[in-house]
Amino acid sequence: MVNLSPFFAPKSIAVIGVSRNPNKVGHVIFKNLIEGGFEGEIIPINPETNQILNYKVFASITHVKKKVDLAIIAVPAELVMKVTHECHQAGVKHVLILTAGFKEAGKADLEEALAKYLRATKMRCIGVNCLGIYDAYNKIDALFIPRYRLRRPQPGGISFVCQSGAIGAAITDIATEQHHKFSKFVSYGNATDVDESDLLEEISEDKNTKVICLYLEGVKDGEKFYKTLMNVARKKPIVALKGGLSAAGSQAALSHTGSLAGAREVYEGIFKQTGVIQVETLEEMFDVASIIEKGLVFKGGKTLVMTNGGGYGILSTDYISQTKHLSMAQLSKKTVQELRKAFPPHVNVHNPLDLVGDATTDRYRVALEICVQDEGIDAILLIALYQTPLITTDIVEVISEMHRQTKKPIVVVSTGGEFTENLSDALEESGLPTFSFPERALAAMNKLVWYETKKKR
Amino acid sequence: MVNLSPFFAPKSIAVIGVSRNPNKVGHVIFKNLIEGGFEGEIIPINPETNQILNYKVFASITHVKKKVDLAIIAVPAELVMKVTHECHQAGVKHVLILTAGFKEAGKADLEEALAKYLRATKMRCIGVNCLGIYDAYNKIDALFIPRYRLRRPQPGGISFVCQSGAIGAAITDIATEQHHKFSKFVSYGNATDVDESDLLEEISEDKNTKVICLYLEGVKDGEKFYKTLMNVARKKPIVALKGGLSAAGSQAALSHTGSLAGAREVYEGIFKQTGVIQVETLEEMFDVASIIEKGLVFKGGKTLVMTNGGGYGILSTDYISQTKHLSMAQLSKKTVQELRKAFPPHVNVHNPLDLVGDATTDRYRVALEICVQDEGIDAILLIALYQTPLITTDIVEVISEMHRQTKKPIVVVSTGGEFTENLSDALEESGLPTFSFPERALAAMNKLVWYETKKKR
């Protein structure tokens, strides 16, 4: 059993290598910990100064008399071993090493020596060559990027385990912009000690995590990884993107995180067998994760497309016919009768259900009320183009209310500028997943129907 | 030869059916014409009132003594024929009919009678059942959606011909949000008279249009369409999305715009043969169009991937290996030597060229200066993740300056929140296409390399 909780819930954190220069990694991460609102003690270490940002600075971790749960190491590569040894002397059991310049820079010896030392002392280490850790609930902001360049996500249900630091930063930033909410984010770099399997195991126990996103380039211990996925995927949905699936990409991975990326078939086989949802892009990863995070469950793939834009109805139908796990739901006779009775004759009572350009908010309400009763419909793709004049802004309440009343998953698509974005944001706040384009929503739904079917078996 | 210019450059416009009720179509479009800054005369027609928004209202178009270049008709379906006849009496030759309730609503007779009348009188008509026309240069805002719901694009090089009104509205709105710039937008609905071929022909003569985007569901006259594409695609790049390619989607198209959508193979064959760039989604349509609009020309598919995020380098390499027309460029010996000399040893001098997480703005400048000289590189995918601490905001000037100096196409990828978006917006203003994800950029580049190869033959 791994015990990595001090990485995510430490009571005291030492930062080793806090420069007075505000642009240096050690300074940035120290400042972020403070600004992130960490409620425990933060102890800066630097032999060359006494005070930084009004904090008393210690010359060495060995001078600190209190218990330190986590040491963050931001010193040059050639000093990492010495500092890690000092941490051991001071009784620190968990270290986060940000420093680069190991295996990925051709210095495999240096890294192997460190790994050996960590094994011998039973210390646990995240890194080297990583971006750090973020825990939204525990207010741990141990990322070395300034907060104005990389916005931090609000507390929520997504945890993101990412081998690559820069990708982790960029994706967390855009995910925050798109209102995705996180529990934990961790970039683990070279995986000198703690690897993707350990982190998956640890996060699978986190009650706040509803879905785990995983970006990885290589796996050192394939058997451990497989066993971990078998175990963790039973507890939490995992959405995974594997970089370096192509021969050329695999070569590039070697010089990035020193990983041996393996054959496409091997990874695809493992993901399929263990019930991991494999995606092709980081964009798709968050499309899928955002639907899971909202708690939607797909009992099947029979989909109703409801729209006020006929063209989107057609494009959605085209797209569904190309997917493996979605199909156009057949409306029951009762549904057809009720819809015909409720609407003027120019409304197209089929699937796609085209409420046409003069659709009012009330037409959506009535259509939803009728269609959620239809047992032949597993999910509703609700396309609402807010540009059409008769839709009022209270359509947000109508859709939200229906979402509260039914177990049928409703995924909303709205394309547009500021007016549209405001309404989509309001729907997201009410717990509905929203998308800008139908194909993106349907691609994610297709993966989720596969996942639910796999889970049942 | 079609003469549709009065639709896009009229000197006087009559709006028939301007209600006093500000929510009605006729009122909205009248107001939009005024707010859009139309510099000619606008004449409202309504038999039941004398004045609207301080304009003198005429009871009938036949009462107007001046020459009217364009009449916009927004009366109920049953009055359209009468009003069109009055337009003919008044000498109006061009009518835009917004009214729905014809073929798409099962009233094929009504539409056929109108079509016959238009043919007999040689009047030209855009519509019925359409959203209208927008011309950014001529300041014609003849769209019936309020400006706060649907933002209007700035003048630029994209023209968008869209059969579906709601899709046209939604896409124009989001395109504007994403800073895409338009010359003309036209939604042509049921194509009772003027069809997609006529519009393509007309817009191909527009000097402001650099690329034509086309969304269509069905084509009535296949031979005319084919000939038009053969002719127009020589003059302007066309990016096309065909709705209703699947059997079920085709059925849905019939009840949307009364179109008979044809077999997938037929359309794909026509597009390929005529050099039309076919896309799968509206998102992809604007990805492709935005690169053309910026004037980038791809002489081949040999691509250099430059990045400060190793993971994106790997994912881009994976993606490129799956495309048909892109490949990873081989760096020349000279390039490799110069890069090695310029950079510290931990920079990975390969393709992908990983400038690594501590890349400075200057490292990007030097890398670009060296690589644009390499004849083995046809295009550069420049990934700049602005989250990393050593990148300064003047990277925008560095990239823009290089873009001005070289003919090599540079496509920029940056993922992130507000800080990133601001820098991307600045690059777009300097004439560089920017994307949030590498796969999206590469998919568009792949299509464009195909297009350039096709054009040469």
Side-chain angles (χ1 to χ4, degrees):
Chain A
M1 186 56 209
V2 295
N3 177 17
L4 306 182
S5 63
F7 286 112
F8 301 101
K11 293 205 177 67
S12 55
I13 304 175
V15 185
I16 305 178
V18 180
S19 168
R20 292 182 67 88
N21 178 343
N23 295 320
K24 293 279 186 177
V25 165
H27 186 101
V28 172
I29 206 162
F30 176 58
K31 204 171 154 208
N32 289 344
L33 280 168
I34 299 168
E35 289 180 354
F38 177 57
E39 287 159 1
E41 195 161 2
I42 311 173
I43 304 152
I45 314 279
N46 177 351
E48 288 162 17
T49 186
N50 295 318
Q51 203 178 16
I52 294 175
L53 299 177
N54 287 328
Y55 278 68
K56 179 178 186 298
V57 176
F58 290 79
S60 160
I61 184 85
T62 56
H63 298 183
V64 179
K65 298 297 160 212
K66 293 165 197 166
K67 184 168 181 294
V68 172
D69 290 335
L70 173 64
I72 299 174
I73 298 178
V75 299
E78 60 274 16
L79 296 180
V80 164
M81 194 61 166
K82 174 177 170 283
V83 163
T84 307
H85 178 61
E86 288 172 3
C87 286
H88 177 59
Q89 288 181 306
V92 180
K93 291 194 175 64
H94 292 82
V95 292
L96 167 64
I97 308 181
L98 309 172
T99 313
F102 290 85
K103 193 174 177 182
E104 87 289 354
K107 301 201 174 159
D109 286 1
L110 201 60
E111 186 159 341
E112 190 38 52
L114 178 66
K116 207 172 151 187
Y117 182 80
L118 293 166
R119 278 195 302 271
T121 55
K122 291 190 179 157
M123 290 170 78
R124 300 308 314 254
C125 160
I126 291 181
V128 299
N129 183 27
C130 77
L131 173 64
I133 294 166
Y134 177 77
D135 190 304
Y137 288 95
N138 294 322
K139 298 186 188 166
I140 313 290
D141 184 349
L143 302 175
F144 72 74
I145 293 179
R147 293 164 69 91
Y148 74 91
R149 284 189 184 237
L150 163 58
R151 293 172 55 180
R152 268 54 168 184
Q154 293 295 307
I158 299 175
S159 281
F160 183 22
V161 176
C162 186
Q163 186 156 18
S164 170
I167 277 195
I171 295 301
T172 302
D173 194 17
I174 201 170
T176 304
E177 182 77 17
Q178 293 166 352
H179 307 283
H180 298 311
K181 292 173 183 174
F182 279 41
S183 176
K184 298 173 198 302
F185 163 71
V186 52
S187 139
Y188 62 97
N190 290 13
T192 313
D193 171 44
V194 170
D195 63 13
E196 61 289 332
S197 298
D198 300 328
L199 290 166
L200 288 172
E201 198 77 65
E202 176 68 25
I203 291 173
S204 74
E205 300 295 332
D206 173 33
K207 65 178 195 321
N208 295 315
T209 299
K210 291 183 193 159
V211 51
I212 304 174
C213 291
L214 173 67
Y215 171 75
L216 84 164
E217 291 174 1
V219 164
K220 282 175 195 162
D221 186 342
E223 198 183 328
K224 179 182 173 189
F225 184 58
Y226 178 77
K227 280 184 183 161
T228 303
L229 291 184
M230 276 305 250
N231 178 35
V232 173
R234 268 174 236 266
K235 295 192 265 181
K236 308 267 183 191
I238 302 172
V239 189
L241 175 62
K242 170 70 179 70
L245 283 178
S246 66
S250 166
Q251 192 56 39
L254 187 60
S255 51
H256 181 221
T257 44
S259 301
L260 275 174
R264 178 184 297 274
E265 297 70 24
V266 175
Y267 280 97
E268 289 179 351
I270 289 177
F271 290 145
K272 205 168 167 186
Q273 211 177 331
T274 55
V276 169
I277 306 166
Q278 188 184 3
V279 291
E280 303 300 318
T281 67
L282 289 158
E283 213 171 8
E284 194 185 7
M285 175 182 275
F286 280 84
D287 287 349
V288 173
S290 70
I291 298 180
I292 303 175
E293 205 263 347
K294 297 280 192 300
L296 272 60
V297 176
F298 294 79
K299 77 180 179 83
K302 296 195 293 278
T303 305
L304 168 72
V305 178
M306 186 184 292
T307 182
N308 60 340
Y312 264 180
I314 294 164
L315 292 174
S316 300
T317 306
D318 281 347
Y319 191 89
I320 286 173
S321 79
Q322 288 176 57
T323 62
K324 204 162 165 187
H325 306 288
L326 301 181
S327 62
M328 295 296 284
Q330 183 90 39
L331 303 183
S332 75
K333 273 187 191 162
K334 183 163 169 277
T335 301
V336 170
Q337 278 169 357
E338 289 180 5
L339 289 170
R340 285 249 164 82
K341 203 174 145 194
F343 296 138
H346 67 290
V347 168
N348 297 307
V349 177
H350 307 284
N351 185 13
L353 175 58
D354 186 358
L355 302 176
V356 302
D358 67 353
T360 56
T361 298
D362 202 58
R363 201 178 284 166
Y364 270 97
R365 186 183 56 73
V366 172
L368 280 169
E369 278 171 0
I370 294 170
C371 293
V372 294
Q373 302 299 331
D374 191 330
E375 289 297 319
I377 297 169
D378 294 327
I380 299 174
L381 184 78
L382 192 159
I383 301 167
L385 301 174
Y386 304 128
Q387 289 83 10
T388 61
L390 302 185
I391 295 215
T392 45
T393 52
D394 63 343
I395 191 166
V396 166
E397 282 87 58
V398 167
I399 300 171
S400 303
E401 181 55 32
M402 194 53 60
H403 172 63
R404 271 190 294 275
Q405 285 176 22
T406 180
K407 282 193 171 172
K408 229 177 266 283
I410 302 174
V411 177
V412 184
V413 172
S414 305
T415 308
E418 202 181 348
F419 185 77
T420 292
E421 279 177 13
N422 290 340
L423 295 180
S424 289
D425 289 352
L427 283 173
E428 286 272 340
E429 281 302 315
S430 303
L432 283 131
T434 66
F435 289 82
S436 290
F437 290 94
E439 296 89 353
R440 294 266 302 276
L442 291 167
M445 288 163 69
N446 180 51
K447 299 255 174 190
L448 286 169
V449 171
W450 170 83
Y451 170 74
E452 298 285 348
T453 317
K454 176 82 191 170
K455 209 169 70 175
K456 265 180 231 153
R457 271 192 257 125
Chain B
M1 185 57 209
V2 293
N3 176 18
L4 306 183
S5 63
F7 285 112
F8 301 101
K11 292 202 178 67
S12 55
I13 303 174
V15 185
I16 306 178
V18 180
S19 169
R20 293 183 65 89
N21 178 344
N23 294 320
K24 293 278 185 179
V25 166
H27 186 100
V28 172
I29 207 162
F30 176 59
K31 204 171 155 210
N32 289 344
L33 280 169
I34 300 167
E35 290 180 355
F38 177 57
E39 287 159 0
E41 195 160 5
I42 311 172
I43 304 152
I45 314 282
N46 177 350
E48 287 162 16
T49 186
N50 295 318
Q51 204 178 13
I52 294 175
L53 300 177
N54 287 328
Y55 277 68
K56 178 178 189 291
V57 176
F58 289 80
S60 161
I61 183 83
T62 55
H63 298 184
V64 179
K65 297 297 160 216
K66 294 167 197 163
K67 183 170 181 292
V68 172
D69 290 335
L70 174 65
I72 299 173
I73 298 177
V75 299
E78 59 274 17
L79 296 180
V80 165
M81 194 62 166
K82 173 177 173 283
V83 164
T84 306
H85 178 61
E86 287 171 5
C87 286
H88 177 59
Q89 288 180 307
V92 180
K93 292 194 173 63
H94 293 82
V95 291
L96 167 64
I97 308 181
L98 309 173
T99 313
F102 291 85
K103 192 173 177 183
E104 86 289 353
K107 301 202 173 157
D109 286 2
L110 201 58
E111 186 160 340
E112 191 37 54
L114 177 65
K116 209 172 151 186
Y117 182 80
L118 293 166
R119 278 195 300 273
T121 55
K122 293 191 180 155
M123 290 170 80
R124 299 310 309 257
C125 159
I126 291 180
V128 300
N129 183 27
C130 77
L131 173 63
I133 294 167
Y134 177 78
D135 189 305
Y137 288 95
N138 295 323
K139 298 184 186 168
I140 312 292
D141 184 349
L143 302 176
F144 72 73
I145 293 180
R147 293 165 69 91
Y148 74 91
R149 284 187 184 238
L150 163 57
R151 294 173 55 181
R152 269 53 167 185
Q154 292 295 307
I158 299 174
S159 281
F160 183 22
V161 176
C162 187
Q163 185 156 20
S164 169
I167 276 196
I171 295 300
T172 301
D173 194 17
I174 200 169
T176 305
E177 181 78 16
Q178 293 166 354
H179 307 284
H180 297 311
K181 292 173 181 174
F182 280 40
S183 177
K184 299 174 196 302
F185 163 71
V186 52
S187 140
Y188 63 96
N190 290 13
T192 312
D193 171 43
V194 170
D195 63 15
E196 60 290 332
S197 299
D198 300 328
L199 290 166
L200 288 172
E201 198 78 66
E202 176 69 23
I203 292 173
S204 74
E205 300 295 331
D206 173 33
K207 68 177 191 325
N208 294 315
T209 298
K210 292 183 191 158
V211 52
I212 305 173
C213 291
L214 173 66
Y215 171 75
L216 82 164
E217 291 173 2
V219 164
K220 280 176 196 162
D221 186 342
E223 198 183 329
K224 179 181 174 190
F225 185 57
Y226 178 75
K227 281 185 184 161
T228 303
L229 291 184
M230 275 306 248
N231 177 35
V232 174
R234 268 174 235 266
K235 295 191 266 181
K236 307 266 185 194
I238 303 172
V239 188
L241 175 62
K242 169 72 178 69
L245 284 178
S246 67
S250 165
Q251 192 55 41
L254 187 60
S255 50
H256 181 220
T257 44
S259 302
L260 274 175
R264 177 183 297 272
E265 296 71 23
V266 176
Y267 280 97
E268 287 179 352
I270 289 177
F271 290 145
K272 206 168 165 184
Q273 213 178 329
T274 54
V276 168
I277 305 166
Q278 189 184 4
V279 291
E280 304 301 317
T281 68
L282 290 157
E283 212 171 8
E284 194 186 7
M285 174 181 275
F286 280 84
D287 286 348
V288 173
S290 71
I291 298 181
I292 303 175
E293 205 261 349
K294 298 279 191 300
L296 272 60
V297 176
F298 293 79
K299 76 179 179 85
K302 296 195 290 286
T303 305
L304 169 72
V305 178
M306 188 184 292
T307 182
N308 60 339
Y312 263 180
I314 294 164
L315 292 174
S316 301
T317 306
D318 282 347
Y319 192 89
I320 285 173
S321 78
Q322 288 176 57
T323 64
K324 204 163 165 186
H325 306 288
L326 301 181
S327 62
M328 293 298 282
Q330 183 89 38
L331 302 183
S332 75
K333 274 187 190 161
K334 185 164 168 275
T335 300
V336 170
Q337 278 170 355
E338 288 180 5
L339 290 170
R340 283 249 163 84
K341 204 173 143 192
F343 295 139
H346 67 287
V347 168
N348 297 308
V349 177
H350 307 285
N351 185 12
L353 175 58
D354 185 359
L355 302 176
V356 301
D358 67 354
T360 56
T361 298
D362 202 57
R363 200 178 286 166
Y364 270 97
R365 186 183 57 73
V366 172
L368 281 169
E369 278 171 1
I370 295 170
C371 293
V372 294
Q373 303 299 331
D374 191 330
E375 289 297 320
I377 298 169
D378 295 325
I380 299 175
L381 184 79
L382 193 160
I383 301 167
L385 301 174
Y386 304 128
Q387 289 83 10
T388 61
L390 302 184
I391 295 214
T392 46
T393 51
D394 62 344
I395 192 165
V396 166
E397 283 86 55
V398 167
I399 300 171
S400 303
E401 182 54 33
M402 194 55 60
H403 172 63
R404 273 189 293 276
Q405 285 176 23
T406 181
K407 282 192 170 170
K408 228 178 266 290
I410 302 173
V411 177
V412 185
V413 172
S414 305
T415 309
E418 201 181 349
F419 184 79
T420 292
E421 280 177 10
N422 289 340
L423 295 181
S424 291
D425 289 353
L427 283 173
E428 287 270 341
E429 281 302 317
S430 303
L432 283 132
T434 66
F435 289 82
S436 290
F437 289 93
E439 297 88 355
R440 294 266 301 276
L442 291 166
M445 289 163 68
N446 180 51
K447 299 254 175 190
L448 286 168
V449 171
W450 170 82
Y451 171 73
E452 297 286 347
T453 317
K454 176 83 191 169
K455 209 168 72 173
K456 266 179 231 155
R457 269 192 255 126

